[in-house]
């Protein structure tokens, strides 16, 4: 997936962010979302990230997709690595 987001780093954490995301299936069908969330830095250089996505469009089998889901991640911004899990519903 590709995510473009804007992060607000003031006031102090948790930092708020929002943006748009594109998820592409192996057959190149895709769906897009808008999302909002928070990122809370830890002393070890990682950040705990929580976000909520709403599906706003799609192509192919996702053309009429609707739904929403929550993402939870731990990101290491200094190494540009992380792991994310999603839970929610996509109806198409």
């Amino acid at each position: 997936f590709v995510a473009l987001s804007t992060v607000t780093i003031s006031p102090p954490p948790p930092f708020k962010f929002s943006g748009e995301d594109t998820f592409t299936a192996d057959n190149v069908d895709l769906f897009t979302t808008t999302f909002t969330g928070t990122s809370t830095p830890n002393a070890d250089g990682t950040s705990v990230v929580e976000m909520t996505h709403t599906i706003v469009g799609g192509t192919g089998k996702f053309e009429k997709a609707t739904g929403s889901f929550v993402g939870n991640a731990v990101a290491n911004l200094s190494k540009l690595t992380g792991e994310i899990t999603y839970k929610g519903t996509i109806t198409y």
Side-chain angles (χ1 to χ4, degrees):
F1 69 91
V2 174
L4 303 174
S5 64
T6 301
V7 178
T8 303
I9 57 174
S10 176
F15 301 126
K16 293 182 180 181
F17 63 88
S18 62
E20 299 176 352
D21 209 343
T22 301
F23 294 81
T24 306
D26 59 356
N27 70 350
V28 191
D29 291 348
L30 59 85
F31 65 91
T32 56
T33 70
T34 58
F35 62 88
T36 60
T38 59
S39 177
T40 305
N42 295 317
D44 66 359
T46 63
S47 288
V48 174
V49 181
E50 298 174 345
M51 70 207 78
T52 301
H53 289 260
T54 301
I55 297 172
V56 295
T59 64
K61 67 181 175 183
F62 299 113
E63 184 175 353
K64 295 181 182 180
T66 60
S68 62
F69 49 94
V70 174
N72 292 287
V74 175
N76 187 327
L77 301 178
S78 65
K79 295 182 180 180
L80 300 178
T81 61
E83 184 174 318
I84 188 167
T85 59
Y86 292 108
K87 185 173 182 177
T89 303
I90 301 173
T91 304
Y92 57 96

